[in-house]
């Protein structure tokens, strides 16, 4: 999952600078690789780190949490863009994902 996060970081950070169509497509390809890696591994990670007695509860809460993110993030980023720029929004998204990817890497080291 952290490799997928670092793919996001690379893609989000470079989207702030891309003005050539081919590089935009390359960024989208890298972002898609990150999405595939995260979507394949996230449910496995959650299943491996959840006690058997709580898996049903966690499986019910995860869509609520992700749905809340889908609702809140456009409002937050929209307000951020109105005060800053789209370039800054890409950097903000990249920084958030970078922190999350680093924390996932740290969690892997602690878990081993």
């Amino acid at each position: 999952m952290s490799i997928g996060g670092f793919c996001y970081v690379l893609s989000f950070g470079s989207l702030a600078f891309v003005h050539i169509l081919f590089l935009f497509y390359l960024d989208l390809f890298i972002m898609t690789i990150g999405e595939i890696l995260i979507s394949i591994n996230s449910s496995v990670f959650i299943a491996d780190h959840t006690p058997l007695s709580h898996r049903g509860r966690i499986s019910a809460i995860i869509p609520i949490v992700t749905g809340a993110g889908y609702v809140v993030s456009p409002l937050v980023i929209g307000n951020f863009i109105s005060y800053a720029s789209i370039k800054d929004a890409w950097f903000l998204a990249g920084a958030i994902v970078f922190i999350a990817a680093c924390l996932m890497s740290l969690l892997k080291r602690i878990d081993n």
Side-chain angles (χ1 to χ4, degrees), residues 28-85:
L28 291 181
F29 179 74
I30 293 169
M31 189 185 308
T32 302
I33 290 172
E35 178 70 26
I36 290 168
L37 289 173
I38 289 174
S39 65
I40 288 173
N41 293 313
S42 62
S43 59
V44 174
F45 176 81
I46 292 169
D48 285 347
H49 290 84
T50 304
L52 287 172
S53 61
H54 290 74
R55 285 196 183 153
R57 294 180 187 115
I58 296 297
S59 295
I61 291 173
I62 293 294
I64 295 170
V65 171
T66 56
Y70 290 135
V71 169
V72 173
S73 64
L75 297 171
V76 171
I77 290 298
N79 287 329
F80 181 80
I81 290 172
S82 67
Y83 292 110
S85 68

Side-chain angles (χ1 to χ4, degrees), residues 1-2 45 98-109:
M1 284 180 51
S2 60
F45 176 81
F98 180 74
I99 291 168
C102 288
L103 289 174
M104 285 300 296
S105 296
L106 180 66
L107 184 61
K108 181 181 178 188
R109 288 185 189 156

Side-chain angles (χ1 to χ4, degrees), residues 6-26:
F6 287 122
C7 286
Y8 274 165
V9 171
L10 179 65
S11 177
F12 290 168
S14 60
L15 277 173
F17 300 109
V18 169
H19 299 291
I20 299 170
L21 188 60
F22 173 74
L23 294 177
F24 179 74
Y25 289 144
L26 182 63

